[in-house]
Amino acid sequence: MAEIHLKSLAHSYSKNPTSASQYAIREMDHIWEDGGAYALLGPSGCGKSTLLNIISGLLSPSEGKVLFDGVEVNNIPPEDRNIAQVFQFPVIYDSMTVFDNLAFPLRNMKVPEVRVNTRVNEIAEVLELEELLSKRAKNLTADEKQKVSMGRGLVRSDVSAILFDEPLTVIDPHLKWKLRRKLKQIHEQFNITMVYVTHDQLEASTFADKIAVMYGGQIVQFGTPRELFERPNHAFVGYFIGSPGMNLVEVERADGGVMFNSIKVPLDNSINAILNESASTNIKIGIRPEFVHVWEEPTDGAFECRLKVVEDLGTYKILSIDLDGVEFKARIEEDAPVPTDKVYISFPEQWLKVYLDEYLVDPTHDALEGA
Amino acid sequence: MNKVQNNKAWFLVLPVFALVAFSAIIPIMTVVNYSVQDIFDQNNAYFVGAEWYREMLSSPRLLDSLLRQFGFSFAVLAIQIPLGIGVALMMPAKGRMAAVWLIIVAIPLLIPWNVVGTIWQVFSREDIGLFGWSINAIGIDYNYASSPIAAWITVVLMDVWHWTSLIALLCYSGLRAIPEAFYQAARIDRASRWAVFRYVQLPRLRSVLIIGVLLRFMDSFMIYTEPFVLTGGGPGNSTTFLSQELTKMAIGQFDLGPAAAFSLIYYLIVLLVCYLFFTIITHQDKVK
């Protein structure tokens, strides 16, 4: 077991980085607590895999420290870090049987063969690989191979964390769900710290207790799936989480609120106060399609708009609505009446988020907290 | 299913038949024709059945050179395969040095056979050759023109020099095709350098090595030019391999019948060995 602490960590692939854009990982502090199941979620190229390789030691960070249970491991090679890593494409030793594959890390550590035997059988049982033990690993299906490569991490009794680098990429969709549940079950059984890298929000939220959303080399929010959904700390989180993502509109300051085109959106005074303190013109408002209130009749505080498209997804409908040249998406119940042409939408104050320089303006917290 | 019978379709495969006939069947059948006849001149040819074959198979000349031939091919493979793998492992994976290495390693492959023979003929001479002179200078008696062992060493060395590169390049390409994750996983699994080679690299070199072994076996089994340039097959008959024996018989003595039988036997041996090797290797895959 281990708590993984990344302390003022930064990494650049160039030797003498001169600008922030040359950093794959921008300076960050982050703690993965002992025994937690975490997901590292982000688009391709945001630095997720780099971060994972730094934790496992395959990559040495250019700045900052990696601490396992408070002990610096920067100079400890991956083989001595007591971590296991499962890669995107299943890594198996194809000339060996499944048994030999699972036994490989133990035999490398010169564990007595009797002990190897019991341990491999134990793990094979957990992973439901018993039937396959004598089979050549080469002939397995992709999901079995991925289980074997996970098993190689689990057999070692000294493993304190398992890192997953998009492990389900090559797995058939109907097996993904099964394997994910297996992962979850293993986590509960072994209580090992697990960090799971993915770009799929569904995968992240089903696997992890807490998700770290990464964007541009930084962790922009770390929270439960619900927190990410209801209170995105960063405009990117709003956009990336949810299907469809948050409606985000660039706005300007206006008296008592903000406006875009001819539409004026009133805001709470405490928010206005924060906005007025800043000189930045990068202001956005965001609201999730689920929270956009759609009315058929004119209502107080609702804006009149034109309905463009209705997408029926079977269990709900997505409306594309044109509000003075800006498109909003709204999600409504499958059975809700669909208005025609003209609709009225309002933004419940509780769900309307304001982003200043991409970060959430929250009068109750420090506005730039979170990363 | 209703099958449409249209025999005109056979005409479509006619060009292939013609091509194969002219490139393979007719030449081989000519040889077969010679091998069952005793031909004195244009008008006097007698059918002799399997006699030439019997004669060849019991001829000590053929059997001796066959033995030498297997010995040579085996020696060459036993050195070139491990050495080629070793060279490939040493070559840098990328960067400018990788290109330099590739060029240097590829150079021997570009040199024609008889030039290779000439190079080594001179290089190994005890009086003016750098190699031969040096070996003698350190007190080892080395003269390929008089000692069969020295001649053998020279011929094997020459082939190793000429063809190890092929194995090295094949293995190099095989090694580059191994994804980085395999090495990373092996590190995390605490595999030793040897275990990485044995369980990560070697299994993935398998297919290129099969090709390499087959190519090198066939090629070395048919070696002619280099020993011919070096010593003409001597001293004595010590480096006379099958093709040289065959050439002597067919061109030197003009014994077309026995030579034809000989070449068919020769051909069948190459075919048989390659077939057996390939079948055994691919069969192993299916066992488990």
Side-chain angles (χ1 to χ4, degrees), chain A residues 261-296:
Chain A
N261 300 343
S262 66
I263 305 295
K264 192 176 157 199
V265 182
L267 294 174
D268 193 79
N269 277 338
S270 56
I271 294 179
N272 283 328
I274 295 172
L275 287 185
N276 289 332
E277 272 172 35
S278 160
S280 170
T281 53
N282 180 3
I283 306 170
K284 284 177 185 157
I285 54 167
I287 184 160
R288 292 222 172 260
E290 290 80 355
F291 300 138
V292 172
H293 211 136
V294 181
W295 311 84
E296 282 177 280

Side-chain angles (χ1 to χ4, degrees), chain A residues 58 77-79 82-83 85 87 91-96 104-105 108-109 136 139 152 156 158, chain B residues 181-192 195-196 198-200 203-204 206 284-285 288:
Chain A
L58 293 169
E79 52 270 37
N82 299 341
I83 42 104
Q85 190 165 354
F87 297 87
V91 174
I92 47 136
Y93 304 103
D94 21 352
S95 59
M96 299 188 206
F104 190 61
N108 286 334
M109 288 155 68
R136 271 271 278 277
N139 305 327
R152 282 206 316 272
R156 280 163 47 187
D158 60 348
Chain B
F182 279 77
Y183 294 110
Q184 296 178 334
R187 269 191 90 178
I188 289 169
D189 289 339
R190 300 176 181 173
S192 61
V196 170
R198 175 66 188 77
Y199 299 112
V200 176
R204 304 207 148 229
R206 189 189 160 83
Q284 270 185 347
D285 270 356
K288 279 177 192 168

Side-chain angles (χ1 to χ4, degrees), chain A residues 23 45 50 56 94 125 129 131 135 138 143 158 172 181 202 216 220 229 240 242 245 284 286 325 348 367 371:
Chain A
Y23 278 90
T50 304
S56 63
D94 21 352
E125 198 186 323
L129 288 170
E131 317 260 295
K135 255 183 124 182
K138 190 182 183 175
D143 61 306
D158 60 348
D172 281 350
R181 216 182 42 174
L202 185 76
V220 286
F229 184 76
F240 196 66
K284 284 177 185 157

